[in-house]
Amino acid sequence: MQLLYLISAMCYYVLYYVTGYRRAVVRENLINSFPEKSVKELIIIEKEFYRYLSDLSVEIMKMASISEKEIKKRLKFTNLHLIEAHFEKGESVLACTGHYGNWEWGMMSLGLNLSEKAYVIYKPLSNGIFDDWFLKIRSRFGNTAVPMRQTLRVLTAAKATPSIFCFAADQSPVHGESHYWIDFLNQDTPALLGLEKIALQTNRPIFYFRLKHIKRGCYEVDCVPICPKPEETDQYEITNRHFKLLEEIIKEEPSYWLWSHRRWKNKRQHV
């Protein structure tokens, strides 16, 4: 890891100062998300983000060879007993998180820390070679990675035994499929409704994996119950809850969210 972090330091210099990788996207996202901050404050966040993006890149590379012992040492879960309590009663649960911190390590570690089967929903990459590589490393420790469009089929097949299905809830919907918009980080944001739809169909309790960056290469994931009984919620209440929680986390430590993602490229079509 020490060698990888030396590489990360060089990557930061290249990404930020040489190539300016998506710097216009990052800067626009930060300006629109934090209108109350000064230019100086935003540039500090911007540089911290690129430093972390470089660390994240080498940490993802390490996923191909990291041992069970090391990943458990570097990423710890808290309050997993709340999920295990449902498993002990023969119940399944749903979970969600955002592209915050090293979400890849967090999802990779699920299979090592839970007594029942973990399914991680993902959006396939357009590059088949990278997609195959990610599929392999995400499944190293017992997880089953499920392409987004196969979620219902796999959910039905797995309904006989307790399990957890985990969603990256801040992904962008496909253009033209945005049926719900939310005020997120001061911007009109299209939201995926897959988690809420499945929760209402199954009435499975929902947890949020609240990831915190402790120090370089070390994280903590708190399992936060956000909806014990989905059938008792109002329309869009579940979606509003997990977006609000993610927004609070981002505002606390903004440099660890994926600002280089073109999250707001799709605009609402007003009739």
Side-chain angles (χ1 to χ4, degrees):
M1 291 301 297
Q2 290 178 337
L3 176 59
L4 287 175
Y5 286 134
L6 286 175
I7 296 172
S8 171
M10 292 184 286
C11 286
Y12 163 68
Y13 182 83
V14 173
L15 286 175
Y16 190 75
Y17 291 104
V18 179
T19 66
Y21 171 73
R22 292 196 176 183
R23 227 161 93 176
V25 174
V26 172
R27 188 159 294 183
E28 180 182 9
N29 285 343
L30 287 172
I31 289 171
N32 292 337
S33 298
F34 302 108
E36 76 283 359
K37 293 188 182 296
S38 67
V39 173
K40 182 178 179 180
E41 289 174 312
L42 292 175
I43 290 176
I44 290 173
I45 296 171
E46 181 180 87
K47 289 182 177 180
E48 287 176 345
F49 163 70
Y50 276 96
R51 287 191 184 94
Y52 180 67
L53 181 63
S54 301
D55 279 1
L56 178 63
S57 299
V58 299
E59 288 174 7
I60 288 175
M61 289 170 54
K62 182 65 176 175
M63 288 170 67
S65 61
I66 195 167
S67 67
E68 292 186 14
K69 182 179 179 180
E70 185 166 12
I71 193 71
K72 282 186 172 181
K73 180 181 74 173
R74 291 182 173 276
L75 190 141
K76 299 184 183 299
F77 285 86
T78 61
N79 290 320
L80 273 180
H81 68 279
L82 298 176
I83 294 176
E84 291 291 347
H86 289 283
F87 290 164
E88 290 170 5
K89 293 185 287 185
E91 299 172 353
S92 294
V93 303
L94 303 175
C96 61
T97 191
H99 288 86
Y100 185 88
N102 195 332
W103 68 90
E104 290 286 0
W105 277 14
M107 296 304 96
M108 182 189 195
S109 301
L110 274 179
L112 293 174
N113 289 276
L114 290 171
S115 62
E116 301 292 350
K117 189 71 174 178
Y119 297 88
V120 178
I121 312 304
Y122 75 99
K123 189 174 184 179
L125 300 173
S126 56
N127 185 305
I129 295 175
F130 279 112
D131 190 57
D132 289 343
W133 183 79
F134 266 108
L135 181 62
K136 183 178 179 180
I137 63 173
R138 285 166 171 163
S139 306
R140 281 190 62 211
F141 297 137
N143 294 336
T144 297
V146 180
M148 189 181 294
R149 294 189 179 277
Q150 296 181 24
T151 304
L152 288 177
R153 181 179 64 81
V154 177
L155 187 76
T156 301
K159 67 180 181 180
T161 56
S163 64
I164 181 170
F165 277 71
C166 187
F167 298 75
D170 60 341
Q171 290 183 335
S172 299
V174 175
H175 185 57
E177 295 184 5
S178 306
H179 303 300
Y180 181 62
W181 295 73
I182 190 170
D183 181 16
F184 174 63
L185 291 172
N186 295 301
Q187 294 165 85
D188 199 23
T189 306
L192 282 172
L193 296 175
L195 171 66
E196 179 161 342
K197 289 178 179 179
I198 289 173
L200 293 174
Q201 290 171 5
T202 63
N203 200 36
R204 295 184 178 190
I206 307 170
F207 290 82
Y208 190 92
F209 287 142
R210 192 184 195 282
L211 196 148
K212 184 174 179 61
H213 182 272
I214 304 300
K215 63 180 182 179
R216 201 174 204 184
C218 293
Y219 302 88
E220 184 177 279
V221 182
D222 187 19
C223 304
V224 181
I226 61 171
C227 185
K229 296 181 179 179
E231 64 184 6
E232 297 179 1
T233 61
D234 295 328
Q235 187 178 29
Y236 305 129
E237 184 178 344
I238 293 170
T239 301
N240 291 337
R241 284 185 189 180
H242 69 70
F243 266 96
K244 181 180 180 182
L245 183 54
L246 175 60
E247 184 176 70
E248 291 173 355
I249 295 165
I250 292 171
K251 287 182 175 180
E252 286 176 11
E253 295 185 277
S255 56
Y256 301 116
W257 194 54
L258 194 61
W259 294 104
S260 54
H261 177 47
R262 294 186 175 93
R263 185 65 181 83
W264 291 281
K265 64 181 178 180
N266 297 329
K267 305 299 181 183
R268 193 197 304 232
Q269 300 298 316
H270 295 283
V271 180

